[in-house]
Amino acid sequence: MSTAMDTESTYSGYSHYSGHSKKAHRQGRDRHKSPRSKDGSRSEKSVTIQTPPAEPLLGNDSSRAEEGQDDNWGETTTAITGTSEHSISQEDIARISKDLEDSVGLDCKRYLGLTVAAVLGLLVFLTPIAFILLPKILWGDDLKTCGTVCDGLFISVAFKLLILLIGTWALFFRQPKADIPRVFVFRAILLVLIFLFVFSYWLFYGVRILDLKDTDYQGIVQYAVSLVDALLFIHYLAIVLLELRQLQPMFTVKVVRSTDGESRYYSLGHLSIQRAALVVLENYYRDFTVYNPALLTASKSRAAKHMAGLKVYNVDGPGNNASGQSRAMIAAAARRRDSSHNELYHEEADHERRVKKRRARLVVAVEEAFTHIKRLEAEEQQKAPGEMMDPREAAQAIFPSMARALQKYLRTTRQQQYHSMESILQHLSFCITNNMTPKAFLERYLNPGPTLQYDRDRWFSKQWTLVSEDAVTSGLRDGIVFVLKCLDFSLVVNVKKIPFIKLSEEFIDPKSHKFVLRLQSETSV
Amino acid sequence: ITALSCSVSFQQRIEIHKLRQGDNLILGFSIGGGIDQDPTQNPFSEDKTDKGIYVTRVTEGGPAEVAGLQIGDKIMQVNGWDRTMVTHDQARKRLTKRNEEVVRLLVTRQSLQKAVQQSMMS
């Protein structure tokens, strides 16, 4: 019986997000500091982020939405997630070690950026209000009174600001799913746009209105309204650029796992390479079966046996002719009468048979166990109506009867390290609670499921590295290949463009479908 | 060989007296064809696009046989009404009028035509 897994994981990355509201901001900082003290091999951390060196702080980190804060910006997230990735473009490989020392400074920079961005957002939000209030405060007596028109404008400003606030909250206040090193180009563009926009409005306001002490209050209020309108339009632009543009599928990507060749296809729209990598990884955890190194040992041993029997001796003298050696080995291996294909065939047939037999035994044992439960339930109901057996107790009662069969099956299919006794008991009581059939209980064990189904500790992949020839912020193109590496295996991603389809129409006259049924009837008169 | 240029009508007039059977007056033959029917299925016509009314069966001993009507005859007129371009149902109606006891048909038949041709040749 395999021992229960050690469940005192430090903390799970998915339950923690550094929120960007003001109080969560402090929490995020605290939590971010704690994993640094722990051992790095098991818990999730953010990896060192490699920022491009020459970009100015404000230009990148003022990656804020126009209102308030948002969480989905690459530069300023301090999220500690289970899957963090950093990108390496080939020319930056040399700078990695240097940036390791800079990582502490980087986080401070990120928090600074976060603060600046929050301030900018607040400023943008308060600007229209300031535009309206400042004349009243500074030279209120000189202002021409404007009656109902101004009231209408005040109401419209208020509601538009409210709508803007709600829209920004809906669009940008999202918990970050991943840590991406390079800034999203569109976001940066939008933020620079907002910044310049608001800056120019303030400039105009300062020069024309504050200096000259304009008394036309209605004009001033309309100026503020025009600012809010333009902010709403920028919000619309943000929606289109950030959300809508990538919805339409333009590319099909093929993702192949390097160790066992399992592949999947996904449809993507216009995304940058880093975002495409994110999508692929999210889908990887759901679609690909869990990586099981125990299944690969057979092919490795076969490969080892191939070359094991040959050794190369260099008789002609010194001189390391490596390529010549390997060629000689390959030629010799080809000539050797190799019956390994026979072995493979028989081995696989035996394994199939063994698995099927064990599976049959397992299914029968589980079915018997479940009927036992039903009998127990019926007895309990007769004896003491209203007192149901605790599912946990029921699970523990029937577990021994099928434990052996289950363990043998798991050993044969090499899944035993994925399921501990505790997890099996838990699953069993879960199935009993929800009135599941034995087949539903067994579904988890008979087929290897996706990675998300298992404990975090069994995932084998916590850090991902994106390796690509093109810059990771560049968009997807036909023929791009990039690789997502983790410690044990890698995912090779191949991008193909969806072909341009020429669809033409052909009109069919409905009359051509009609035909007359001709009869030949005979009537006697 | 005598060359005859004659406009001989290959038609025959047949007068049938209807027989009363219970409540019905019957003539004793069956018709087929009509402009709403499929002319290619007509076994008696020489020209398969001919949509005329043909006699498909003659009951033995019936008034039609007595009057000399033969199977395969094409009915051209019934009581003076032209029946060459009518629907099947119209033809039937004209033949089965309740208040008529006698119908006079104008028919043509292939054998008749052939007989005339042969007599012309000889």
Side-chain angles (χ1 to χ4, degrees), chain A residues 270-518:
Chain A
H270 276 293
L271 291 173
S272 59
I273 292 184
Q274 57 183 2
R275 288 182 82 179
L278 245 193
V279 172
V280 163
L281 280 177
E282 282 162 23
N283 285 323
Y284 166 79
Y285 281 101
R286 185 196 61 185
D287 290 331
F288 278 71
T289 60
V290 66
Y291 166 70
N292 196 346
L295 292 172
L296 305 167
T297 50
S299 57
K300 279 190 197 154
S301 63
R302 262 202 308 278
K305 258 194 279 171
H306 256 291
M307 296 298 188
L310 299 170
K311 280 190 81 177
V312 178
Y313 293 98
N314 202 343
V315 249
D316 292 332
N320 192 10
N321 192 359
S323 61
Q325 278 184 2
S326 54
R327 248 183 280 142
M329 280 187 83
I330 293 172
R335 260 182 250 126
R336 183 166 69 165
R337 287 230 1 264
D338 199 357
S339 61
S340 60
H341 58 272
N342 243 349
E343 289 171 21
L344 172 64
Y345 169 69
H346 285 298
E347 203 181 290
E348 282 199 343
D350 282 341
H351 182 74
E352 278 284 321
R353 234 178 326 122
R354 227 179 312 138
V355 166
K356 281 199 180 136
K357 236 198 233 171
R358 295 245 165 114
R359 180 200 163 113
R361 283 208 196 117
L362 174 63
V363 169
V364 163
V366 171
E367 281 175 0
E368 282 176 8
F370 270 67
T371 43
H372 186 60
I373 289 184
K374 290 256 178 329
R375 247 184 295 134
L376 277 179
E377 264 183 13
E379 283 175 9
E380 287 282 327
Q381 276 194 340
Q382 283 171 1
K383 273 193 274 180
E387 188 187 290
M388 301 302 287
M389 193 159 44
D390 183 29
R392 177 92 190 162
E393 291 169 6
Q396 275 167 344
I398 61 166
F399 181 66
S401 60
M402 58 172 182
R404 206 170 130 78
L406 184 59
Q407 202 202 7
K408 274 200 165 162
Y409 180 79
L410 288 180
R411 282 243 172 88
T412 317
T413 52
R414 304 218 180 94
Q415 285 178 318
Q416 70 268 25
Q417 72 266 28
Y418 288 103
H419 303 284
S420 65
M421 183 166 103
E422 182 55 38
S423 77
I424 298 175
L425 272 174
Q426 232 175 12
H427 185 60
L428 189 52
S429 53
F430 170 78
C431 290
I432 293 174
T433 319
N434 292 322
N435 245 348
M436 291 198 188
T437 57
K439 203 165 178 190
F441 164 71
L442 279 176
E443 166 268 335
R444 191 180 220 218
Y445 304 106
L446 291 179
N447 312 312
T451 318
L452 279 177
Q453 190 179 284
Y454 301 98
D455 276 340
R456 253 166 239 283
D457 304 317
R458 289 275 136 241
W459 285 4
F460 282 104
S461 48
K462 296 177 185 77
Q463 289 184 10
W464 292 91
T465 309
L466 172 59
V467 178
S468 91
E469 288 174 355
D470 308 299
V472 296
T473 49
S474 67
L476 286 178
R477 272 188 341 263
D478 186 32
I480 284 186
V481 175
F482 58 93
V483 179
L484 285 160
K485 273 203 194 139
C486 84
L487 284 174
D488 306 298
F489 57 93
S490 54
L491 297 172
V492 181
V493 181
N494 205 338
V495 178
K496 287 205 168 51
K497 197 171 155 89
I498 293 180
F500 181 76
I501 298 173
K502 271 202 159 111
L503 198 61
S504 59
E505 70 160 303
E506 192 181 310
F507 177 70
I508 295 185
D509 192 357
K511 290 204 197 94
S512 66
H513 288 298
K514 296 205 171 114
F515 56 94
V516 179
L517 185 62
R518 300 243 182 106

Side-chain angles (χ1 to χ4, degrees), chain A residues 517-525, chain B residues 28-31 37-38 56-57 88:
Chain A
L517 185 62
R518 300 243 182 106
L519 312 161
Q520 182 71 12
S521 48
E522 201 183 338
T523 322
S524 53
V525 293
Chain B
F29 66 96
S30 301
I31 53 165
Q37 306 286 316
D38 187 4
T56 52
R57 253 187 307 125
H88 189 88

Side-chain angles (χ1 to χ4, degrees), chain A residues 86-230:
Chain A
H86 64 270
S87 74
I88 306 177
S89 34
Q90 286 184 343
E91 58 265 17
D92 285 341
I93 287 178
R95 294 200 206 121
I96 293 176
S97 51
K98 217 191 329 164
D99 282 339
L100 272 171
E101 293 117 76
D102 292 345
S103 64
V104 177
L106 203 79
D107 293 335
C108 291
K109 202 166 36 159
R110 223 190 269 155
Y111 280 114
L112 185 66
L114 195 64
T115 326
V116 167
V119 165
L120 180 68
L122 210 58
L123 189 78
V124 166
F125 184 70
L126 292 177
T127 299
I129 304 176
F131 282 0
I132 295 176
L133 289 179
L134 275 176
K136 275 261 162 86
I137 297 170
L138 293 180
W139 62 93
D141 307 321
D142 301 331
L143 285 176
K144 283 188 227 147
T145 51
C146 71
T148 44
V149 181
C150 272
D151 291 341
L153 290 174
F154 288 150
I155 292 177
S156 82
V157 164
F159 275 110
K160 281 180 189 159
L161 279 178
L162 179 69
I163 290 173
L164 205 52
L165 196 63
I166 295 176
T168 315
W169 170 82
L171 192 61
F172 298 114
F173 275 44
R174 262 180 273 176
Q175 291 159 342
K177 297 179 286 191
D179 219 354
I180 303 184
R182 309 252 174 176
V183 69
F184 291 158
V185 173
F186 284 137
R187 288 175 180 172
I189 289 175
L190 274 171
L191 288 165
V192 170
L193 183 70
I194 291 170
F195 179 69
L196 287 174
F197 180 73
V198 173
F199 182 70
S200 64
Y201 258 76
W202 268 110
L203 205 61
F204 186 83
Y205 188 75
V207 165
R208 291 293 198 83
I209 297 180
L210 285 180
D211 276 354
L212 300 178
K213 295 208 189 291
D214 194 5
T215 54
D216 180 15
Y217 194 49
Q218 186 177 331
I220 295 174
V221 176
Q222 274 176 341
Y223 183 70
V225 173
S226 76
L227 171 65
V228 181
D229 287 341

